[in-house]
Amino acid sequence: MKAFGRVLTTFGVLLLVGVRADAHDPSMQHHEWFNKQEMNPAAQRRLGLSYKSCCNNGDVFKTRFRVAEDRSDQWQYLKDGEWKIIPPDIIKESDTPDRTPVLFINKATGQELCFFVPQGGL
């Protein structure tokens, strides 16, 4: 049973790595949209970053999203089995190509860089 668990874990890691790298693949649909996205100035200042791009130092983090349980405007995402708050200064109201939520996270630090609110609903 342990061997089966290791195979599933390995498969899951490979799947995540493959999904996260897609935004940087020029053959990927909407590649240009991903590469053009920039952080909000307030988030850039708070994080102390010299770059603006959501994509160059970040990757799209595929996960589940929800609105806070109190139905406020607070957005959350699932990471490592925990619901994490999406910082308000990274939220962007512009639409994504497929009208779904998109979260960019810094590849090195894990900091949230940009979040595009789903215009098509959850």
Side-chain angles (χ1 to χ4, degrees), residues 74-109:
Q74 183 184 79
W75 284 91
Q76 300 174 347
Y77 70 102
L78 190 61
K79 183 176 182 184
D80 301 327
E82 288 184 46
W83 287 100
K84 308 257 183 195
I85 295 171
I86 294 175
D89 62 357
I90 73 161
I91 296 175
K92 301 178 81 65
E93 298 293 334
S94 55
D95 209 356
T96 61
D98 58 3
R99 302 180 62 98
T100 59
V102 172
L103 175 64
F104 289 88
I105 292 185
N106 185 296
K107 293 182 262 190
T109 66

mmCIF file of all heavy atoms in Angstrom, residues 74-109:
data_model
loop_
_atom_site.group_PDB
_atom_site.id
_atom_site.type_symbol
_atom_site.label_atom_id
_atom_site.label_comp_id
_atom_site.label_asym_id
_atom_site.label_seq_id
_atom_site.Cartn_x
_atom_site.Cartn_y
_atom_site.Cartn_z
ATOM 1 N N GLN A 74 -14.040 38.969 0.842
ATOM 2 C CA GLN A 74 -12.744 38.320 1.018
ATOM 3 C C GLN A 74 -12.691 37.005 0.237
ATOM 4 O O GLN A 74 -13.557 36.154 0.366
ATOM 5 C CB GLN A 74 -12.526 38.027 2.510
ATOM 6 C CG GLN A 74 -11.189 37.414 2.808
ATOM 7 C CD GLN A 74 -11.105 37.060 4.275
ATOM 8 O OE1 GLN A 74 -11.651 36.045 4.695
ATOM 9 N NE2 GLN A 74 -10.452 37.910 5.040
ATOM 10 N N TRP A 75 -11.656 36.869 -0.589
ATOM 11 C CA TRP A 75 -11.449 35.647 -1.358
ATOM 12 C C TRP A 75 -10.434 34.763 -0.662
ATOM 13 O O TRP A 75 -9.529 35.248 0.007
ATOM 14 C CB TRP A 75 -10.949 35.986 -2.761
ATOM 15 C CG TRP A 75 -12.035 36.487 -3.644
ATOM 16 C CD1 TRP A 75 -12.414 37.784 -3.835
ATOM 17 C CD2 TRP A 75 -12.901 35.695 -4.444
ATOM 18 N NE1 TRP A 75 -13.464 37.839 -4.716
ATOM 19 C CE2 TRP A 75 -13.782 36.573 -5.106
ATOM 20 C CE3 TRP A 75 -13.016 34.314 -4.675
ATOM 21 C CZ2 TRP A 75 -14.760 36.126 -5.981
ATOM 22 C CZ3 TRP A 75 -13.991 33.878 -5.548
ATOM 23 C CH2 TRP A 75 -14.849 34.771 -6.185
ATOM 24 N N GLN A 76 -10.594 33.447 -0.832
ATOM 25 C CA GLN A 76 -9.679 32.475 -0.240
ATOM 26 C C GLN A 76 -9.321 31.422 -1.277
ATOM 27 O O GLN A 76 -10.069 31.196 -2.225
ATOM 28 C CB GLN A 76 -10.329 31.807 0.975
ATOM 29 C CG GLN A 76 -10.701 32.775 2.073
ATOM 30 C CD GLN A 76 -11.468 32.112 3.206
ATOM 31 O OE1 GLN A 76 -11.939 30.984 3.099
ATOM 32 N NE2 GLN A 76 -11.612 32.834 4.308
ATOM 33 N N TYR A 77 -8.166 30.780 -1.066
ATOM 34 C CA TYR A 77 -7.751 29.680 -1.934
ATOM 35 C C TYR A 77 -7.222 28.549 -1.077
ATOM 36 O O TYR A 77 -6.769 28.758 0.056
ATOM 37 C CB TYR A 77 -6.716 30.138 -2.965
ATOM 38 C CG TYR A 77 -5.347 30.472 -2.419
ATOM 39 C CD1 TYR A 77 -4.297 29.571 -2.545
ATOM 40 C CD2 TYR A 77 -5.098 31.686 -1.797
ATOM 41 C CE1 TYR A 77 -3.037 29.877 -2.063
ATOM 42 C CE2 TYR A 77 -3.851 31.993 -1.317
ATOM 43 C CZ TYR A 77 -2.814 31.092 -1.451
ATOM 44 O OH TYR A 77 -1.570 31.391 -0.969
ATOM 45 N N LEU A 78 -7.291 27.346 -1.599
ATOM 46 C CA LEU A 78 -6.875 26.152 -0.872
ATOM 47 C C LEU A 78 -5.421 25.835 -1.204
ATOM 48 O O LEU A 78 -5.051 25.678 -2.372
ATOM 49 C CB LEU A 78 -7.768 24.969 -1.259
ATOM 50 C CG LEU A 78 -7.627 23.708 -0.427
ATOM 51 C CD1 LEU A 78 -7.988 23.971 1.029
ATOM 52 C CD2 LEU A 78 -8.515 22.605 -0.999
ATOM 53 N N LYS A 79 -4.587 25.781 -0.153
ATOM 54 C CA LYS A 79 -3.174 25.442 -0.320
ATOM 55 C C LYS A 79 -2.764 24.544 0.838
ATOM 56 O O LYS A 79 -2.947 24.899 2.001
ATOM 57 C CB LYS A 79 -2.307 26.705 -0.330
ATOM 58 C CG LYS A 79 -0.834 26.422 -0.568
ATOM 59 C CD LYS A 79 -0.041 27.706 -0.656
ATOM 60 C CE LYS A 79 1.413 27.401 -0.932
ATOM 61 N NZ LYS A 79 2.224 28.631 -0.921
ATOM 62 N N ASP A 80 -2.222 23.385 0.502
ATOM 63 C CA ASP A 80 -1.764 22.416 1.511
ATOM 64 C C ASP A 80 -2.851 22.077 2.527
ATOM 65 O O ASP A 80 -2.596 21.957 3.716
ATOM 66 C CB ASP A 80 -0.517 22.942 2.234
ATOM 67 C CG ASP A 80 0.640 23.205 1.288
ATOM 68 O OD1 ASP A 80 0.766 22.469 0.280
ATOM 69 O OD2 ASP A 80 1.421 24.141 1.544
ATOM 70 N N GLY A 81 -4.083 21.949 2.045
ATOM 71 C CA GLY A 81 -5.190 21.546 2.901
ATOM 72 C C GLY A 81 -5.775 22.661 3.756
ATOM 73 O O GLY A 81 -6.663 22.413 4.559
ATOM 74 N N GLU A 82 -5.290 23.890 3.613
ATOM 75 C CA GLU A 82 -5.784 25.025 4.392
ATOM 76 C C GLU A 82 -6.310 26.110 3.470
ATOM 77 O O GLU A 82 -5.759 26.339 2.402
ATOM 78 C CB GLU A 82 -4.653 25.645 5.223
ATOM 79 C CG GLU A 82 -4.187 24.831 6.379
ATOM 80 C CD GLU A 82 -3.134 25.597 7.185
ATOM 81 O OE1 GLU A 82 -3.341 26.796 7.460
ATOM 82 O OE2 GLU A 82 -2.114 24.995 7.505
ATOM 83 N N TRP A 83 -7.364 26.798 3.912
ATOM 84 C CA TRP A 83 -7.880 27.941 3.167
ATOM 85 C C TRP A 83 -7.064 29.161 3.549
ATOM 86 O O TRP A 83 -6.970 29.512 4.723
ATOM 87 C CB TRP A 83 -9.357 28.162 3.454
ATOM 88 C CG TRP A 83 -10.202 27.122 2.808
ATOM 89 C CD1 TRP A 83 -10.752 26.024 3.398
ATOM 90 C CD2 TRP A 83 -10.564 27.063 1.424
ATOM 91 N NE1 TRP A 83 -11.437 25.291 2.464
ATOM 92 C CE2 TRP A 83 -11.336 25.899 1.244
ATOM 93 C CE3 TRP A 83 -10.301 27.870 0.323
ATOM 94 C CZ2 TRP A 83 -11.861 25.530 0.019
ATOM 95 C CZ3 TRP A 83 -10.820 27.503 -0.914
ATOM 96 C CH2 TRP A 83 -11.592 26.353 -1.059
ATOM 97 N N LYS A 84 -6.444 29.800 2.573
ATOM 98 C CA LYS A 84 -5.604 30.983 2.777
ATOM 99 C C LYS A 84 -6.324 32.202 2.218
ATOM 100 O O LYS A 84 -7.003 32.121 1.192
ATOM 101 C CB LYS A 84 -4.270 30.823 2.043
ATOM 102 C CG LYS A 84 -3.554 29.537 2.351
ATOM 103 C CD LYS A 84 -2.450 29.773 3.286
ATOM 104 C CE LYS A 84 -1.700 28.460 3.514
ATOM 105 N NZ LYS A 84 -0.850 28.522 4.629
ATOM 106 N N ILE A 85 -6.138 33.334 2.883
ATOM 107 C CA ILE A 85 -6.757 34.583 2.447
ATOM 108 C C ILE A 85 -5.956 35.169 1.285
ATOM 109 O O ILE A 85 -4.731 35.218 1.328
ATOM 110 C CB ILE A 85 -6.820 35.589 3.608
ATOM 111 C CG1 ILE A 85 -7.743 35.058 4.705
ATOM 112 C CG2 ILE A 85 -7.276 36.961 3.125
ATOM 113 C CD1 ILE A 85 -7.720 35.856 5.983
ATOM 114 N N ILE A 86 -6.649 35.611 0.265
ATOM 115 C CA ILE A 86 -6.016 36.296 -0.850
ATOM 116 C C ILE A 86 -5.900 37.768 -0.458
ATOM 117 O O ILE A 86 -6.916 38.414 -0.177
ATOM 118 C CB ILE A 86 -6.836 36.122 -2.144
ATOM 119 C CG1 ILE A 86 -6.814 34.640 -2.561
ATOM 120 C CG2 ILE A 86 -6.314 37.031 -3.244
ATOM 121 C CD1 ILE A 86 -7.668 34.311 -3.750
ATOM 122 N N PRO A 87 -4.675 38.298 -0.400
ATOM 123 C CA PRO A 87 -4.511 39.705 -0.008
ATOM 124 C C PRO A 87 -5.301 40.632 -0.931
ATOM 125 O O PRO A 87 -5.247 40.487 -2.158
ATOM 126 C CB PRO A 87 -3.005 39.940 -0.163
ATOM 127 C CG PRO A 87 -2.383 38.581 -0.089
ATOM 128 C CD PRO A 87 -3.393 37.648 -0.686
ATOM 129 N N PRO A 88 -6.043 41.572 -0.361
ATOM 130 C CA PRO A 88 -6.886 42.451 -1.177
ATOM 131 C C PRO A 88 -6.103 43.269 -2.208
ATOM 132 O O PRO A 88 -6.644 43.601 -3.266
ATOM 133 C CB PRO A 88 -7.560 43.373 -0.169
ATOM 134 C CG PRO A 88 -7.259 42.838 1.176
ATOM 135 C CD PRO A 88 -6.182 41.829 1.058
ATOM 136 N N ASP A 89 -4.831 43.581 -1.929
ATOM 137 C CA ASP A 89 -4.087 44.426 -2.868
ATOM 138 C C ASP A 89 -3.590 43.689 -4.112
ATOM 139 O O ASP A 89 -3.039 44.303 -5.018
ATOM 140 C CB ASP A 89 -2.933 45.148 -2.176
ATOM 141 C CG ASP A 89 -1.891 44.221 -1.582
ATOM 142 O OD1 ASP A 89 -2.049 42.982 -1.630
ATOM 143 O OD2 ASP A 89 -0.888 44.744 -1.046
ATOM 144 N N ILE A 90 -3.805 42.366 -4.194
ATOM 145 C CA ILE A 90 -3.422 41.642 -5.416
ATOM 146 C C ILE A 90 -4.623 41.353 -6.309
ATOM 147 O O ILE A 90 -4.470 40.849 -7.410
ATOM 148 C CB ILE A 90 -2.668 40.326 -5.113
ATOM 149 C CG1 ILE A 90 -3.606 39.256 -4.562
ATOM 150 C CG2 ILE A 90 -1.480 40.568 -4.209
ATOM 151 C CD1 ILE A 90 -3.065 37.854 -4.673
ATOM 152 N N ILE A 91 -5.827 41.688 -5.820
ATOM 153 C CA ILE A 91 -7.046 41.364 -6.564
ATOM 154 C C ILE A 91 -7.213 42.317 -7.737
ATOM 155 O O ILE A 91 -7.125 43.530 -7.593
ATOM 156 C CB ILE A 91 -8.280 41.394 -5.645
ATOM 157 C CG1 ILE A 91 -8.148 40.291 -4.585
ATOM 158 C CG2 ILE A 91 -9.565 41.243 -6.449
ATOM 159 C CD1 ILE A 91 -9.235 40.284 -3.540
ATOM 160 N N LYS A 92 -7.467 41.723 -8.894
ATOM 161 C CA LYS A 92 -7.678 42.473 -10.135
ATOM 162 C C LYS A 92 -9.078 42.131 -10.642
ATOM 163 O O LYS A 92 -9.467 40.984 -10.646
ATOM 164 C CB LYS A 92 -6.610 42.096 -11.157
ATOM 165 C CG LYS A 92 -5.186 42.395 -10.619
ATOM 166 C CD LYS A 92 -4.121 42.006 -11.564
ATOM 167 C CE LYS A 92 -3.846 42.961 -12.644
ATOM 168 N NZ LYS A 92 -3.324 44.265 -12.349
ATOM 169 N N GLU A 93 -9.806 43.139 -11.028
ATOM 170 C CA GLU A 93 -11.194 42.951 -11.467
ATOM 171 C C GLU A 93 -11.319 42.642 -12.953
ATOM 172 O O GLU A 93 -12.408 42.427 -13.444
ATOM 173 C CB GLU A 93 -12.026 44.180 -11.115
ATOM 174 C CG GLU A 93 -12.115 44.472 -9.626
ATOM 175 C CD GLU A 93 -12.893 43.431 -8.829
ATOM 176 O OE1 GLU A 93 -13.776 42.754 -9.405
ATOM 177 O OE2 GLU A 93 -12.615 43.292 -7.630
ATOM 178 N N SER A 94 -10.209 42.643 -13.681
ATOM 179 C CA SER A 94 -10.291 42.370 -15.119
ATOM 180 C C SER A 94 -10.521 40.885 -15.368
ATOM 181 O O SER A 94 -10.162 40.034 -14.557
ATOM 182 C CB SER A 94 -9.028 42.854 -15.830
ATOM 183 O OG SER A 94 -7.884 42.287 -15.258
ATOM 184 N N ASP A 95 -11.123 40.603 -16.496
ATOM 185 C CA ASP A 95 -11.513 39.236 -16.842
ATOM 186 C C ASP A 95 -10.324 38.417 -17.337
ATOM 187 O O ASP A 95 -9.326 38.961 -17.807
ATOM 188 C CB ASP A 95 -12.587 39.283 -17.929
ATOM 189 C CG ASP A 95 -13.518 38.084 -17.872
ATOM 190 O OD1 ASP A 95 -13.288 37.186 -17.045
ATOM 191 O OD2 ASP A 95 -14.472 38.049 -18.665
ATOM 192 N N THR A 96 -10.434 37.122 -17.220
ATOM 193 C CA THR A 96 -9.443 36.190 -17.746
ATOM 194 C C THR A 96 -9.974 35.623 -19.068
ATOM 195 O O THR A 96 -11.176 35.693 -19.329
ATOM 196 C CB THR A 96 -9.185 35.041 -16.755
ATOM 197 O OG1 THR A 96 -10.391 34.315 -16.547
ATOM 198 C CG2 THR A 96 -8.667 35.570 -15.424
ATOM 199 N N PRO A 97 -9.103 35.066 -19.887
ATOM 200 C CA PRO A 97 -9.566 34.563 -21.195
ATOM 201 C C PRO A 97 -10.699 33.545 -21.115
ATOM 202 O O PRO A 97 -11.582 33.539 -21.957
ATOM 203 C CB PRO A 97 -8.315 33.935 -21.796
ATOM 204 C CG PRO A 97 -7.184 34.642 -21.148
ATOM 205 C CD PRO A 97 -7.651 34.951 -19.756
ATOM 206 N N ASP A 98 -10.692 32.698 -20.095
ATOM 207 C CA ASP A 98 -11.760 31.695 -20.001
ATOM 208 C C ASP A 98 -12.745 31.977 -18.857
ATOM 209 O O ASP A 98 -13.503 31.111 -18.462
ATOM 210 C CB ASP A 98 -11.182 30.286 -19.905
ATOM 211 C CG ASP A 98 -10.254 30.108 -18.717
ATOM 212 O OD1 ASP A 98 -10.088 31.060 -17.920
ATOM 213 O OD2 ASP A 98 -9.689 29.017 -18.573
ATOM 214 N N ARG A 99 -12.694 33.203 -18.327
ATOM 215 C CA ARG A 99 -13.628 33.675 -17.298
ATOM 216 C C ARG A 99 -13.587 32.850 -16.013
ATOM 217 O O ARG A 99 -14.589 32.698 -15.327
ATOM 218 C CB ARG A 99 -15.039 33.760 -17.856
ATOM 219 C CG ARG A 99 -15.134 34.673 -19.077
ATOM 220 C CD ARG A 99 -16.541 34.753 -19.611
ATOM 221 N NE ARG A 99 -17.446 35.315 -18.633
ATOM 222 C CZ ARG A 99 -17.836 36.586 -18.603
ATOM 223 N NH1 ARG A 99 -17.422 37.414 -19.512
ATOM 224 N NH2 ARG A 99 -18.661 37.007 -17.686
ATOM 225 N N THR A 100 -12.421 32.333 -15.676
ATOM 226 C CA THR A 100 -12.238 31.579 -14.441
ATOM 227 C C THR A 100 -11.207 32.292 -13.570
ATOM 228 O O THR A 100 -10.431 33.109 -14.064
ATOM 229 C CB THR A 100 -11.753 30.143 -14.729
ATOM 230 O OG1 THR A 100 -10.514 30.216 -15.433
ATOM 231 C CG2 THR A 100 -12.781 29.365 -15.530
ATOM 232 N N PRO A 101 -11.179 32.004 -12.254
ATOM 233 C CA PRO A 101 -10.200 32.660 -11.384
ATOM 234 C C PRO A 101 -8.777 32.223 -11.727
ATOM 235 O O PRO A 101 -8.546 31.065 -12.090
ATOM 236 C CB PRO A 101 -10.596 32.193 -9.980
ATOM 237 C CG PRO A 101 -11.383 30.954 -10.172
ATOM 238 C CD PRO A 101 -12.027 31.065 -11.521
ATOM 239 N N VAL A 102 -7.835 33.170 -11.615
ATOM 240 C CA VAL A 102 -6.427 32.876 -11.861
ATOM 241 C C VAL A 102 -5.616 33.504 -10.735
ATOM 242 O O VAL A 102 -5.752 34.691 -10.454
ATOM 243 C CB VAL A 102 -5.942 33.430 -13.223
ATOM 244 C CG1 VAL A 102 -4.437 33.277 -13.376
ATOM 245 C CG2 VAL A 102 -6.672 32.745 -14.364
ATOM 246 N N LEU A 103 -4.775 32.694 -10.097
ATOM 247 C CA LEU A 103 -3.893 33.152 -9.025
ATOM 248 C C LEU A 103 -2.445 32.897 -9.430
ATOM 249 O O LEU A 103 -2.091 31.773 -9.782
ATOM 250 C CB LEU A 103 -4.208 32.406 -7.723
ATOM 251 C CG LEU A 103 -3.287 32.681 -6.537
ATOM 252 C CD1 LEU A 103 -3.383 34.135 -6.076
ATOM 253 C CD2 LEU A 103 -3.628 31.727 -5.388
ATOM 254 N N PHE A 104 -1.634 33.949 -9.400
ATOM 255 C CA PHE A 104 -0.196 33.821 -9.626
ATOM 256 C C PHE A 104 0.497 33.848 -8.268
ATOM 257 O O PHE A 104 0.216 34.722 -7.446
ATOM 258 C CB PHE A 104 0.345 35.005 -10.438
ATOM 259 C CG PHE A 104 -0.063 35.016 -11.883
ATOM 260 C CD1 PHE A 104 -1.248 35.610 -12.283
ATOM 261 C CD2 PHE A 104 0.764 34.484 -12.853
ATOM 262 C CE1 PHE A 104 -1.609 35.667 -13.620
ATOM 263 C CE2 PHE A 104 0.414 34.526 -14.197
ATOM 264 C CZ PHE A 104 -0.764 35.124 -14.573
ATOM 265 N N ILE A 105 1.414 32.896 -8.057
ATOM 266 C CA ILE A 105 2.197 32.840 -6.827
ATOM 267 C C ILE A 105 3.677 32.863 -7.192
ATOM 268 O O ILE A 105 4.095 32.216 -8.153
ATOM 269 C CB ILE A 105 1.848 31.577 -6.009
ATOM 270 C CG1 ILE A 105 0.424 31.687 -5.478
ATOM 271 C CG2 ILE A 105 2.830 31.362 -4.874
ATOM 272 C CD1 ILE A 105 -0.005 30.580 -4.567
ATOM 273 N N ASN A 106 4.475 33.603 -6.411
ATOM 274 C CA ASN A 106 5.912 33.681 -6.630
ATOM 275 C C ASN A 106 6.528 32.296 -6.535
ATOM 276 O O ASN A 106 6.304 31.574 -5.560
ATOM 277 C CB ASN A 106 6.548 34.624 -5.604
ATOM 278 C CG ASN A 106 8.016 34.849 -5.839
ATOM 279 O OD1 ASN A 106 8.819 33.933 -5.747
ATOM 280 N ND2 ASN A 106 8.365 36.084 -6.129
ATOM 281 N N LYS A 107 7.322 31.930 -7.551
ATOM 282 C CA LYS A 107 7.934 30.595 -7.622
ATOM 283 C C LYS A 107 8.897 30.339 -6.465
ATOM 284 O O LYS A 107 8.998 29.216 -5.990
ATOM 285 C CB LYS A 107 8.695 30.433 -8.939
ATOM 286 C CG LYS A 107 7.826 30.411 -10.169
ATOM 287 C CD LYS A 107 8.666 30.194 -11.410
ATOM 288 C CE LYS A 107 8.942 31.528 -12.058
ATOM 289 N NZ LYS A 107 9.542 31.388 -13.401
ATOM 290 N N ALA A 108 9.603 31.356 -6.017
ATOM 291 C CA ALA A 108 10.629 31.165 -4.990
ATOM 292 C C ALA A 108 10.092 31.308 -3.568
ATOM 293 O O ALA A 108 10.465 30.544 -2.683
ATOM 294 C CB ALA A 108 11.764 32.161 -5.206
ATOM 295 N N THR A 109 9.197 32.282 -3.350
ATOM 296 C CA THR A 109 8.769 32.589 -1.984
ATOM 297 C C THR A 109 7.387 32.065 -1.618
ATOM 298 O O THR A 109 7.044 31.999 -0.445
ATOM 299 C CB THR A 109 8.756 34.112 -1.762
ATOM 300 O OG1 THR A 109 7.745 34.690 -2.600
ATOM 301 C CG2 THR A 109 10.118 34.729 -2.055
#
